[in-house]
Amino acid sequence: MDQKLQAILQDVEKKIAAAKTEVELQSVKVSALGKQGILTSLMKELPKFDPAERPAIGQAVNRVKNQLSELIENKREEIKLQAAAVPTDFDCTVPGFAPRSGGLHPITQMCYDLNDAFRSMGFEVFQEDDITSEMYAFDNLNFPPNHPARESMDTYWLEGHDSGNANEKLCLRPHLTGGSVRYMQTHKPPYRFVYPGHVYRNETTDARHERAFYQYEALIVDRDFTFTAGKVMIKSILSKVFGRDVPVRMRAGFFPFVEPGFEIDMGCLVCGGKGCSVCKQVGWIEVMPGGTPHPNVLRAAGLDPDEYTGFYVNIGLDRLVMMRYGVDDVRLFHSADLRFLQQFH
């Protein structure tokens, strides 16, 4: 057995010395010390020997194992040092190449700016998964059973959505608003939070619409929260993001999850209010719906609507970025065209 062990030791030593890379060295280690390695196979043969000889044989095998392990680790360090060494023909006087600089996508930057602005006002940032259920996308938000938004012509449903209960019918979230109920169900009032994220709609793309786009929602729920405070919040946020006063108007609008509901517009910054393709020549662009959470939404969250009220806005993040940079086609942000994106670095 001693002669056999010495032969194995010498053979593996030669293979270790010949290894040029860590991959080759690892292969040698596995063949010698792995679960199917030659030394492991020898240990499995111990029951064949006389019981009195087994301890000595086991100790001899372990000594060879330790020797090989040490040789392998020393060789590994040697390979690493060689890889890190500067080549002898390296000329340190040759000018180098400046690494290409990267930057945040303009939509990501806008999201971070809004996070900072809302955090400065005491808001928490909340996020959830892109996949939601019919319960949170529609039922908890006071959508009627026959509302067209539930149809596949508007919402991307996952396979199996035509059976089971509302919690088992899954879809790509068509809006972020369902996240408000999920948050309120797992936190204690009062609430002051925002939740940015991707949403998905089955619609035709054009200069102002995309199938997958970003929204940014904010919700305040408290006792005796005034509606005028919500409008002040909107103007404060937009002014902070754009660094100047931004014209804002609120028009009556209907949304199942708010009562009363409003369409909130800002003056078009692409054309300065004169009219362009982005604002459809009217000088204003819709950036968010808003209003007071509907009593049924508060009930779904486990709150008493006679005790709590609040204010909600859903910011179209892509459109806000279009206003910031004067971009007239939202599809450019999702095109992955580096020529377009490099101007924002």
Side-chain angles (χ1 to χ4, degrees):
M1 176 58 72
D2 288 340
Q3 292 178 350
K4 190 172 184 178
L5 285 173
Q6 285 302 315
I8 291 173
L9 180 61
Q10 292 174 8
D11 180 57
V12 177
E13 282 180 339
K14 290 178 182 178
K15 292 179 179 178
I16 293 172
K20 301 296 183 184
T21 66
E22 287 198 57
V23 173
E24 293 177 2
L25 186 63
Q26 183 64 21
S27 177
V28 174
K29 182 177 180 179
V30 170
S31 66
L33 307 178
K35 290 182 178 180
Q36 305 298 325
I38 188 170
L39 289 178
T40 305
S41 298
L42 282 180
M43 291 295 285
K44 291 178 181 179
E45 293 179 7
L46 277 180
K48 298 178 181 179
F49 293 90
D50 186 275
E53 298 176 346
R54 291 175 191 173
I57 294 173
Q59 292 172 8
V61 173
N62 285 328
R63 279 197 299 271
V64 173
K65 269 186 164 182
N66 293 335
Q67 285 181 265
L68 292 178
S69 295
E70 186 176 352
L71 290 171
I72 289 170
E73 289 308 310
N74 291 340
K75 184 64 177 183
R76 195 185 305 278
E77 291 300 318
E78 181 184 327
I79 291 173
K80 287 180 179 179
L81 289 174
Q82 289 176 348
V86 177
T88 55
D89 59 349
F90 177 76
D91 187 354
C92 62
T93 64
V94 175
F97 296 95
R100 290 186 176 182
S101 61
L104 293 174
H105 191 282
I107 293 177
T108 303
Q109 184 62 61
M110 174 65 83
C111 183
Y112 288 174
D113 291 345
L114 283 171
N115 285 348
D116 291 342
F118 275 106
R119 282 193 179 108
S120 70
M121 299 171 65
F123 283 71
E124 180 183 348
V125 179
F126 168 70
Q127 288 185 316
E128 61 167 359
D129 296 334
D130 286 13
I131 295 176
T132 188
S133 67
E134 185 178 33
M135 174 69 73
Y136 283 94
F138 299 109
D139 292 355
N140 288 340
L141 300 181
N142 197 44
F143 279 80
N146 60 347
H147 196 282
R150 295 177 184 259
E151 302 296 329
S152 57
M153 66 181 184
D154 194 71
T155 297
Y156 288 113
W157 290 98
L158 275 62
E159 185 178 1
H161 75 278
D162 51 354
S163 63
N165 60 46
N167 259 330
E168 295 171 335
K169 298 178 180 180
L170 303 181
C171 62
L172 295 178
R173 59 186 180 191
H175 44 237
L176 296 178
T177 316
S180 62
V181 176
R182 197 185 302 274
Y183 179 95
M184 289 188 287
Q185 288 175 339
T186 55
H187 294 75
K188 294 182 179 180
Y191 309 111
R192 187 180 292 256
F193 63 97
V194 295
Y195 40 111
H198 233 141
V199 297
Y200 308 87
R201 302 269 179 85
N202 186 9
E203 59 183 51
T204 303
T205 60
D206 57 31
R208 300 173 70 242
H209 299 87
E210 267 285 4
R211 290 188 179 92
F213 55 97
Y214 287 91
Q215 288 184 344
Y216 193 102
E217 298 202 355
L219 178 64
I220 297 175
V221 174
D222 206 340
R223 296 180 176 88
D224 303 321
F225 184 83
T226 62
F227 190 85
T228 53
K231 185 173 182 180
V232 171
M233 177 189 73
I234 294 169
K235 285 190 66 70
S236 300
I237 290 299
L238 291 178
S239 298
K240 193 162 187 176
V241 168
F242 290 102
R244 54 176 163 147
D245 185 55
V246 178
V248 174
R249 72 177 186 184
M250 300 176 70
R251 298 176 288 114
F254 172 76
F255 304 97
F257 40 85
V258 288
E259 180 59 42
F262 293 88
E263 296 275 10
I264 302 170
D265 305 333
M266 63 177 285
C268 181
L269 302 185
V270 175
C271 63
K274 297 177 181 178
C276 65
S277 61
V278 174
C279 62
K280 295 184 177 180
Q281 310 302 326
V282 298
W284 294 89
I285 184 166
E286 176 194 338
V287 290
M288 61 186 91
T292 301
H294 194 284
N296 288 341
V297 174
L298 295 175
R299 290 189 185 99
L303 300 177
D304 183 353
D306 294 327
E307 184 178 357
Y308 287 95
T309 185
F311 193 83
Y312 152 91
V313 291
N314 177 324
I315 301 170
L317 200 56
D318 297 28
R319 293 183 185 177
L320 216 57
V321 178
M322 293 170 71
M323 294 295 99
R324 170 181 273 188
Y325 297 108
V327 176
D328 61 2
D329 194 330
V330 70
R331 291 169 292 189
L332 292 169
F333 292 118
H334 304 275
S335 67
D337 187 338
L338 294 181
R339 296 170 301 174
F340 171 75
L341 295 175
Q342 282 170 353
Q343 65 184 307
F344 302 105
H345 290 178

